[in-house]
Amino acid sequence: MLDLSLNPDLETHRLPRRDDAPVEWAVSPGLVPYRAAEMAMEERANVIAEGQGGELVWLLEHPPLYTAGVSARPADLLDPTRFPVFRSGRGGQFTYHGPGQRVAYVMLDLSARDRDVRAFVSALQAWIIAALAQLGVEGQIREGRVGVWAERPGSPHAREEKVAAIGVKLRRWVSFHGISLNVDPDLSHFSGIVPCGISGHGVTSLADLGRTASMADVDAALMSAFQQIFGPVIPGAPPL
């Protein structure tokens, strides 16, 4: 288990560019259709791999939908007619996206950082945990369970629930897809799947944990924590 607590040792998990070039940071308003976003993200990742464009973090929300990663098991789709289902090339299993959830698509060139997939995933985890800490939530990592978890305050059995998911893909050492953080989504929407193939644990959100935070608050925390882990950012335009 990674030793990441409320105040993680960020220096251990830093993954900055060797040339310290800034990453573009873009936010899309409204709800962005999933397939169009996926195509735009892959196109930008290809541009980065060709050395024709800079790295990008793209923040957005999707309409309600389920996505199936490359390891998705058909039995984990409990209600296939509830929302649209999209097959995805990212790692992982089934997940939900929808309003009130901040999705961050991360298009970074690991050739300019460190060609170490485990270090990259650790850096993503540290980023989420550092952002949650700024929002008053202790994010945790559990061995054998993907994502970032939080213990429900006051629970006599230290009940752990997932507050953020990670699912990435690398092509020519450029990443795409990324993370999702539950701010205030309709948690009942997760009941149509076994989230990330993990049963026996629930799903939570900042609002469900009693933390009142706007999407702008969450974006500010994500940006601040990202810069601590991955390096400086500059304003960018959404690719769609």
Side-chain angles (χ1 to χ4, degrees), residues 70-159:
V70 294
S71 302
R73 298 184 295 258
D76 288 342
L77 181 58
L78 305 179
D79 189 350
T81 63
R82 187 171 189 180
F83 297 124
V85 180
F86 296 91
R87 296 289 166 181
S88 170
R90 61 162 174 80
Q93 302 184 40
F94 279 103
T95 193
Y96 165 78
H97 293 315
Q101 181 192 72
R102 176 51 88 205
V103 173
Y105 289 135
V106 183
M107 289 149 273
L108 300 182
D109 185 0
L110 298 194
S111 294
R113 298 171 182 272
D114 188 355
R115 290 188 176 188
D116 186 329
V117 177
R118 290 177 63 87
F120 177 54
V121 173
S122 294
L124 293 174
Q125 292 170 334
W127 172 31
I128 296 169
I129 289 173
L132 287 172
Q134 295 184 37
L135 298 164
V137 172
E138 181 177 0
Q140 301 177 358
I141 304 299
R142 290 291 180 263
E143 186 175 355
R145 283 192 256 140
V146 297
V148 176
W149 300 76
E151 292 185 3
R152 180 168 295 281
S155 171
H157 304 294
R159 179 177 163 193

